[in-house]
């Protein structure tokens, strides 16, 4: 129940954030965005049909696709989320907060991206482009990111031809602001980093990680490979730990105090479950 309540809060906050970005910044300046929202905004500029209607019509095929590609619950939440945004745009009217085009592009993208990110955290989407990307990526060698990029290039290219190059450029800026904000909302500032440490002083490093930094550590039994002095088949413990990117520098500094020759490999970790890694509170 707690998780479902949090998901509902994320979705409601996302709907109002997206509506604010659209009505207070993007619509007054005739700017568009990428994805299905961008297609709806572009159609609005050309036909003057209600945006609420366009959002529902253009997203329905992607909701159906999400039903078959992801899950029934996901498709249902997405349909309710899109209908909620359409309803808010229809009955609520947010004031225009600035007439400056640059500020409108940046903050319009910011609030729209925050809205999309919040709804994704709530288990739904406001834009069906990535659902299409998931489907096409299974049929072609292209990745989801490649497909979304191609779709957005086409949208902004059409905008440049039918509206104006200046409008298209401001719209690209709004899209970039939305994309970065969405990534921040989804991933958070505490993006996790997996760290693998290979050192003959592994026991001292393990104690430093668990006792001084308060992090968990996992030990793998390994052997040295081919080194500068021929075959080195000595057995040693390989340490793996997960930390936030804000604490990586501190971890590396502490490792160097123990063994300056330690081999350290770092890679991004999307999320974790269990262990001693503290979860984000809004999960």
């Amino acid at each position: 129940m707690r998780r479902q309540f949090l998901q509902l809060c994320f979705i409601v906050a996302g709907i109002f954030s997206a509506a604010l970005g659209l009505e207070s910044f993007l619509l007054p300046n005739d700017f568009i965005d990428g994805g299905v929202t961008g297609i709806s905004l572009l159609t609005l500029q050309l036909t003057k049909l209600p945006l609420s209607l366009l959002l529902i019509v253009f997203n329905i095929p992607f909701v159906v696709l999400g039903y078959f590609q992801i899950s029934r619950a996901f498709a249902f939440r997405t349909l309710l989320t899109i209908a909620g945004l359409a309803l808010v745009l229809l009955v609520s009217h947010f004031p225009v907060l600035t007439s400056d085009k640059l500020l409108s592009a940046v903050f319009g993208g910011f609030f729209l991206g925050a809205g999309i990110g919040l709804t994704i955290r709530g288990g739904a989407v406001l834009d069906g482009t990535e659902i299409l990307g998931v489907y096409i990526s299974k049929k072609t060698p292209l990745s989801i990111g490649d497909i979304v990029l191609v779709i957005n290039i086409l949208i902004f290219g059409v905008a440049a031809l039918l509206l104006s190059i200046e409008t298209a450029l401001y719209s690209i800026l709004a899209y970039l602001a939305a994309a970065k904000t969405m990534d921040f909302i989804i991933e958070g500032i505490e993006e996790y980093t997996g760290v693998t440490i290979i050192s003959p002083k592994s026991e001292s490093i393990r104690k430093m990680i668990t006792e001084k930094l308060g992090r968990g550590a996992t030990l793998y039994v390994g052997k040295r490979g081919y080194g500068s002095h021929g075959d080195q088949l000595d057995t040693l413990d390989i340490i793996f730990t997960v930390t936030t990117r804000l604490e990586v520098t501190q971890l590396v500094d502490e490792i160097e105090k123990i063994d300056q020759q330690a081999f350290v490999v770092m890679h991004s970790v999307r999320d974790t479950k269990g262990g001693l890694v503290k979860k984000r509170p809004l999960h």
Side-chain angles (χ1 to χ4, degrees):
M1 291 295 295
R2 176 180 175 273
R3 181 175 180 81
Q4 290 177 349
F5 178 74
L6 280 176
Q7 287 179 333
L8 178 62
C9 290
F10 283 138
I11 290 174
V12 171
I15 288 172
F16 279 94
S17 178
L20 175 64
L22 289 169
E23 286 212 337
S24 295
F25 298 99
L26 297 183
L27 289 177
N29 293 279
D30 296 332
F31 294 160
I32 67 172
D33 186 44
V36 180
T37 306
I39 296 174
S40 302
L41 291 170
L42 182 59
T43 306
L44 170 68
Q45 302 303 325
L46 300 176
T47 65
K48 303 304 179 183
L49 290 172
L51 180 59
S52 299
L53 175 64
L54 293 172
L55 285 171
I56 293 176
V57 169
F58 284 122
N59 273 294
I60 283 178
F62 300 101
V63 173
V64 175
L65 193 61
Y67 177 89
F68 292 103
Q69 292 294 315
I70 301 176
S71 71
R72 179 185 302 178
F74 170 82
F76 181 71
R77 284 195 300 267
T78 296
L79 181 61
L80 290 181
T81 300
I82 294 168
L85 176 61
L87 181 64
V88 170
L89 290 173
L90 188 63
V91 302
S92 300
H93 298 285
F94 296 89
V96 178
L97 298 181
T98 179
S99 59
D100 185 274
K101 289 187 175 182
L102 181 60
L103 290 176
S104 296
V106 173
F107 283 95
F110 171 80
F111 285 108
L112 182 58
I116 295 173
L118 286 169
T119 55
I120 291 176
R121 291 284 294 273
V125 293
L126 276 175
D127 191 294
T129 310
E130 290 193 2
I131 301 175
L132 178 63
V134 171
Y135 175 75
I136 296 178
S137 66
K138 293 180 179 180
K139 309 291 184 180
T140 68
L142 296 175
S143 68
I144 297 175
D146 293 335
I147 296 163
V148 172
L149 178 62
V150 170
I151 293 172
N152 288 327
I153 288 174
L154 292 174
I155 293 171
F156 292 123
V158 173
L161 291 174
L162 299 181
L163 302 178
S164 69
I165 294 179
E166 182 181 90
T167 299
L169 292 175
Y170 276 118
S171 298
I172 292 172
L173 182 60
Y175 165 72
L176 293 175
K180 295 301 292 184
T181 305
M182 181 180 68
D183 289 343
F184 180 80
I185 293 294
I186 296 172
E187 302 295 341
I189 193 171
E190 287 191 311
E191 182 179 355
Y192 300 118
T193 300
V195 184
T196 301
I197 307 154
I198 302 173
S199 168
K201 301 180 181 179
S202 57
E203 180 59 21
S204 299
I205 295 175
R206 182 196 65 79
K207 287 184 177 180
M208 176 271 295
I209 293 172
T210 57
E211 297 176 7
K212 186 172 183 178
L213 301 185
R215 290 289 176 184
T218 299
L219 301 183
Y220 299 95
V221 177
K223 291 184 178 181
R224 290 185 178 276
Y226 186 81
S228 58
H229 301 292
D231 292 330
Q232 300 177 354
L233 300 179
D234 298 335
T235 300
L236 79 166
D237 289 330
I238 299 171
I239 304 172
F240 178 75
T241 186
V242 176
T243 185
T244 67
R245 63 182 177 183
L246 300 179
E247 299 169 302
V248 167
T249 302
Q250 180 187 10
L251 174 62
V252 173
D253 289 343
E254 294 295 333
I255 292 172
E256 289 183 347
K257 291 178 183 178
I258 299 172
D259 182 6
Q260 293 185 348
Q261 302 301 317
F263 183 57
V264 181
V265 181
M266 291 175 279
H267 61 273
S268 179
V269 175
R270 187 171 183 84
D271 205 350
T272 63
K273 182 178 180 179
L276 296 179
V277 178
K278 184 178 180 181
K279 296 288 290 180
R280 293 194 295 270
L282 295 180
H283 235 284

